[in-house]
Amino acid sequence: MNTDLKNFVLPVARAVSATLFFVLSVAFVSVPYSLEQDPSDAQQLTHPAAPRHMT
């Protein structure tokens, strides 16, 4: 790889990976919070009382 290209690509790749890590970290925390449900909470299955036709 050309040294000029390497000197350009590595900082860009580091910046992109750091930004992606930050965005994924915020999403991991904020999505369950906005759904008002913790990922460790037990899921409650709700079944409809009677089957319904989808029309």
Side-chain angles (χ1 to χ4, degrees):
M1 181 182 283
N2 189 357
T3 57
D4 291 335
L5 180 61
K6 186 177 180 180
N7 290 339
F8 174 73
V9 169
L10 286 178
V12 171
R14 286 184 186 131
V16 167
S17 63
T19 304
L20 186 62
F21 177 76
F22 177 73
V23 168
L24 291 177
S25 299
V26 169
F28 182 77
V29 172
S30 65
V31 168
Y33 180 75
S34 68
L35 295 175
E36 297 177 355
Q37 184 175 15
D38 192 89
S40 63
D41 289 344
Q43 299 292 321
Q44 295 179 355
L45 298 177
T46 57
H47 298 289
R52 298 183 311 168
H53 195 272
M54 298 299 289
T55 58

